[in-house]
Amino acid sequence: MQLTAEAREGLDENVRAYINSLETRNEQLLEELRIALYRKFGRSSERSSEVSEPQLFEEAEATDQESCDDSGESTVCVAAHTKKKPGRTRLDESLPREDIVHDIDEEDKQCGCGHHLVRIGEEVSERLQVVPEQVWVERHIRPKYACHHCEGSGDEEKPAVRIHPASPSLMPGSIATPALLAFIFVNKFVDHLPFYRQEKRFERIGVHISRQDMSHWAISAAQRVAPLIKRLRETIREGPVINMDETRMQVLNEADRANTTQSFMWLALGGPPDAPVCLYHYAPTRGAEYAHTLLGGLQQTYLQVDGYEVYDKVSEANPGVTIVGCWAHVRRKFHEAAHAGKKTAAAREAMSRIGKLYAMEKALRAKNLQPHEFLRERRVQAERELGALRTWLEKKAQTVLPSSLLGKAVSYNLRQWEKLVRYLDHPDLTPDNSAAERAIRPFVVGRKNWLTSGSPRGAQSSCALYSLIETAKLNGLNPYAYLAHVFREAAFIIDESQWDALLPHNLDTQKINSSFFAPVR
C-alpha cells in the first residue's frame, strides 16, 4: 500500500527517503519475481507480435506514430510467404530404390479377340522401408604360405613364411571399424545418446560393447585425428570474422578441483566464407588465458561476441582484433524488461526499433548485392535508424530507474554502442552473434543427457569430435559419412600434409554423402 501525497507531506524528510527506497526495492524484487516466473513458465521464443502484444500502444509513454497513415488508421504489414503445394513430399531422389513389380497373370494378358495385350504404361507408388541397424563381423583372412621342400633356404632374401601385410587400422587390435566409430559418435554428439544408452541399444541386437570401450574409442580417435583439428584451428584464422561463445560444462576428475566445480566449453566459428569451421575447446575456467589459446596472434580479424569483458582483454593483447557487439543480447535485455515491469511500452519500443535493423539486413541480403554495394547501402539505411535509436536511448536514460531491468537494458545498450555499430564495417558481419549460439546449441542439448564428462581427456575428445561433426555440417556433409571417411583414410596417412585432403571443404560433398548408403546385407 502506497502513501498518498498528503500523507507524505506530513512525514520527516528522512522518513520519506526511507519509504521511497523501500518502494524502489519492492519494485525491483517484483521485477525479479516476474522475470523468474516468465523464464520458468513463459514462452522461450523472443519473437514479438503487435497482434499478440497490443499493450505496446496502450500506455501514455508510447508516442511512436510511424505505423499510422495520414488518415490516422493503423496499418499492419504482413511478410510475404510461399504457399506450400498440397500433398505428400516426394522421397529424396538420393535414397536407394528397389523395384517390386506387381504384374498380372499371363493368361490375363490375352485379349478376347485373340491378340496379346500391349504394355501402355504403369502406375508407380513409393513406400519408405527401413531395416534396423545391421551388424556383421568382418573376418579378415590372410593366408600363410611356406615351402615344405626347402623350408625357405632356397630364397633367403624373403621370409620363410609369407603372408599379406595387415591392413592399416585407426586402432590396431581393436574390433572397431570406421563405420562403427562413426555410428557411435554420431549417436552421441548429433543425436545426444549417452554411451550407457547405446550400450543397452547394442545389447538389444545381440552385440556387447561396454560404455567404457566406447569412451576409450572416443579418446583414441580424437588423439589420432589431432593433426586434423590443428588444421581446422589454422583454417578458422584465415577468415575475416570469428564468432565466439562459451557455456558451462561439468568435468569429473580434474586435478585439484572438486567434481562439482564448473568448467567451460569455448566455441569459435569462422574461416573463409567457402570453408567455414566450427571449433570447440575445453577449459577449466572462463578466464582470458583460454580465449588467448584460441585467438592469440590473430591479425586483422573481426571478433563478434557478447558483452563478456574477457574478449576486450584479447583485443588489447592483439591490436589486429576488432570487437563487434551483439544486438541479440541487447534485444534480449529489453525483452526481459518487457515481461517483468508494469510499464512495458518503452521496452517494446526499443525492441521494435532494433527489429527494424534486422528487417533492413534481411531485405538487403535478399538482393544479392556485390559486397561493396551491400556495405554502402546498409550503412546508408542503418545509420539513420541507429541515430534515432541512440537519441531515444539517451533521453530514456534520463527518466528510467537505473536499477530497473529497463534501466539496465538502456545502460547496457549505450555502453556497448561502439561495438554494436561495428557490424556496418564489413559485409560478412551480421547484427548479432547468433551463429555462435546456434553452433554451441548441440552441446547444450547433449549436456542435458549425459550431464558430465568423466575426465579432462574425455572432455578434450568430445571437443575434437564436436569440431569435426559441426564443421562437416557447415560444409554440407553428412556427419556419419564424413567421420567414417576420415577414420578410414586417417589410418593410411604417413605425412602431415596429407591431412589437408580430409578437411571438409576439400571433399566432394556429393561423393562423400552418397557413401552414407551402404548396401543392405
Side-chain angles (χ1 to χ4, degrees):
M1 176 180 176
Q2 291 186 338
L3 294 175
T4 64
E6 293 79 3
R8 287 177 182 269
E9 288 297 328
L11 296 176
D12 180 75
E13 182 178 349
N14 292 332
V15 175
R16 287 200 302 270
Y18 179 66
I19 292 175
N20 290 336
S21 66
L22 289 178
E23 290 177 346
T24 300
R25 179 56 179 161
N26 182 61
E27 185 58 34
Q28 291 176 358
L29 293 174
L30 287 174
E31 276 194 343
E32 293 176 7
L33 175 61
R34 292 189 197 104
I35 197 60
L37 291 173
Y38 179 78
R39 287 172 178 169
K40 182 155 184 78
F41 301 109
R43 186 178 61 176
S44 60
S45 172
E46 295 179 11
R47 291 180 179 272
S48 61
S49 169
E50 291 183 1
V51 176
S52 61
E53 297 171 345
Q55 60 268 41
L56 176 60
F57 299 105
E58 290 180 358
E59 297 182 31
E61 65 177 298
T63 59
D64 189 0
Q65 299 296 325
E66 295 177 0
S67 62
C68 296
D69 57 22
D70 293 337
S71 64
E73 295 181 352
S74 176
T75 60
V76 178
C77 297
V78 180
H81 67 281
T82 302
K83 186 177 181 180
K84 292 184 178 180
K85 184 178 180 180
R88 185 179 66 191
T89 304
R90 180 171 173 77
L91 296 173
D92 192 336
E93 294 294 341
S94 63
L95 291 171
R97 279 166 167 75
E98 176 187 6
D99 290 341
I100 302 176
V101 180
H102 304 274
D103 205 351
I104 60 177
D105 296 334
E106 288 299 320
E107 60 265 22
D108 290 334
K109 298 179 182 179
Q110 191 71 30
C111 183
C113 68
H115 290 80
H116 198 71
L117 299 181
V118 178
R119 183 171 179 171
I120 61 173
E122 61 186 16
E123 289 188 8
V124 179
S125 60
E126 293 189 337
R127 303 174 184 174
L128 188 61
Q129 184 61 276
V130 64
V131 177
E133 291 90 348
Q134 294 186 345
V135 294
W136 64 93
V137 179
E138 286 184 347
R139 299 182 67 232
H140 293 263
I141 302 172
R142 296 185 294 146
K144 303 164 85 172
Y145 297 89
C147 178
H148 288 301
H149 179 68
C150 69
E151 296 184 350
S153 61
D155 192 355
E156 294 184 354
E157 294 182 357
K158 295 184 178 180
V161 177
R162 301 176 190 177
I163 187 172
H164 190 280
S167 300
S169 173
L170 188 73
M171 299 179 190
S174 171
I175 65 171
T177 61
L180 178 60
L181 292 175
F183 178 76
I184 291 172
F185 300 153
V186 166
N187 274 341
K188 177 172 182 180
F189 299 112
V190 178
D191 299 322
H192 319 300
L193 286 177
F195 288 149
Y196 77 90
R197 291 185 190 171
Q198 294 194 56
E199 181 181 4
K200 299 296 183 182
R201 191 177 181 188
F202 278 117
E203 288 177 356
R204 290 199 298 270
I205 57 176
V207 179
H208 300 283
I209 303 176
S210 70
R211 68 195 74 176
Q212 290 81 8
D213 282 341
M214 287 185 264
S215 179
H216 292 156
W217 290 346
I219 293 173
S220 298
Q223 291 174 340
R224 185 66 181 88
V225 299
L228 185 57
I229 302 300
K230 180 182 177 182
R231 287 295 296 118
L232 291 180
R233 193 183 298 271
E234 295 168 355
T235 303
I236 205 172
R237 296 165 172 266
E238 297 172 5
V241 178
I242 293 180
N243 298 80
M244 282 196 69
D245 200 3
E246 72 288 329
T247 188
R248 61 178 178 80
M249 66 184 302
Q250 190 171 351
V251 181
L252 308 181
N253 299 311
E254 291 178 305
D256 302 323
R257 304 184 83 205
N259 285 339
T260 55
T261 305
Q262 291 293 332
S263 298
F264 286 86
M265 170 81 81
W266 294 72
L267 174 131
L269 183 68
D274 59 345
V277 172
C278 185
L279 195 64
Y280 289 78
H281 179 74
Y282 151 72
T285 71
R286 205 183 176 200
E289 63 272 22
Y290 298 104
H292 282 293
T293 301
L294 285 172
L295 303 173
L298 281 175
Q299 300 294 328
Q300 302 304 317
T301 301
Y302 289 98
L303 177 62
Q304 191 162 33
V305 293
D306 54 26
Y308 186 33
E309 299 83 1
V310 156
Y311 298 113
D312 293 328
K313 297 180 182 179
V314 174
S315 180
E316 293 170 2
N318 299 271
V321 175
T322 302
I323 302 295
V324 183
C326 174
W327 279 102
H329 281 78
V330 174
R331 187 188 184 281
R332 192 167 299 151
K333 292 183 181 297
F334 284 111
H335 176 80
E336 291 183 349
H339 288 86
K342 291 181 179 180
K343 296 183 179 181
T344 64
R348 296 186 186 280
E349 184 177 351
M351 293 165 59
S352 177
R353 289 176 180 272
I354 295 171
K356 291 178 182 179
L357 298 176
Y358 280 88
M360 287 179 193
E361 184 79 9
K362 182 177 180 181
L364 286 174
R365 295 281 180 188
K367 292 182 178 180
N368 294 319
L369 301 172
Q370 292 296 319
H372 67 280
E373 295 175 339
F374 170 80
L375 197 61
R376 183 181 63 251
E377 192 165 343
R378 179 172 68 175
R379 183 175 292 278
V380 170
Q381 294 187 25
E383 283 185 343
R384 181 174 60 253
E385 292 297 333
L386 287 168
L389 175 58
R390 177 66 184 262
T391 301
W392 182 88
L393 288 169
E394 290 174 345
K395 290 181 179 179
K396 193 58 62 178
Q398 302 299 319
T399 59
V400 298
L401 189 66
S403 58
S404 66
L405 288 180
L406 178 60
K408 292 177 180 178
V410 170
S411 176
Y412 177 83
N413 199 166
L414 290 172
R415 287 199 316 272
Q416 293 284 315
W417 188 263
E418 290 186 5
K419 300 174 185 177
L420 291 168
V421 299
R422 285 179 187 152
Y423 83 94
L424 302 177
D425 295 343
H426 197 282
D428 288 339
L429 285 167
T430 61
D432 59 40
N433 195 37
S434 295
E437 293 192 357
R438 288 192 297 270
I440 210 168
R441 187 173 295 130
F443 170 78
V444 175
V445 175
R447 182 180 61 196
K448 295 179 180 179
N449 289 273
W450 55 76
L451 302 179
T452 66
S453 290
S455 67
R457 292 177 64 201
Q460 292 165 358
S461 67
S462 296
C463 288
L465 294 170
Y466 263 122
S467 299
L468 292 179
I469 288 171
E470 295 303 318
T471 302
K473 290 161 66 175
L474 287 175
N475 287 271
L477 291 167
N478 182 295
Y480 167 79
Y482 175 66
L483 287 185
H485 177 75
V486 167
F487 295 153
R488 183 168 55 249
E489 297 301 319
F492 295 90
I493 290 180
I494 57 176
D495 185 77
E496 192 76 15
S497 62
Q498 292 177 287
W499 289 103
D500 284 357
L502 295 181
L503 290 170
H505 60 269
N506 288 336
L507 295 172
D508 185 330
T509 302
Q510 185 174 2
K511 181 178 179 181
I512 296 298
N513 288 347
S514 63
S515 67
F516 172 75
F517 299 107
V520 178
R521 297 180 65 86

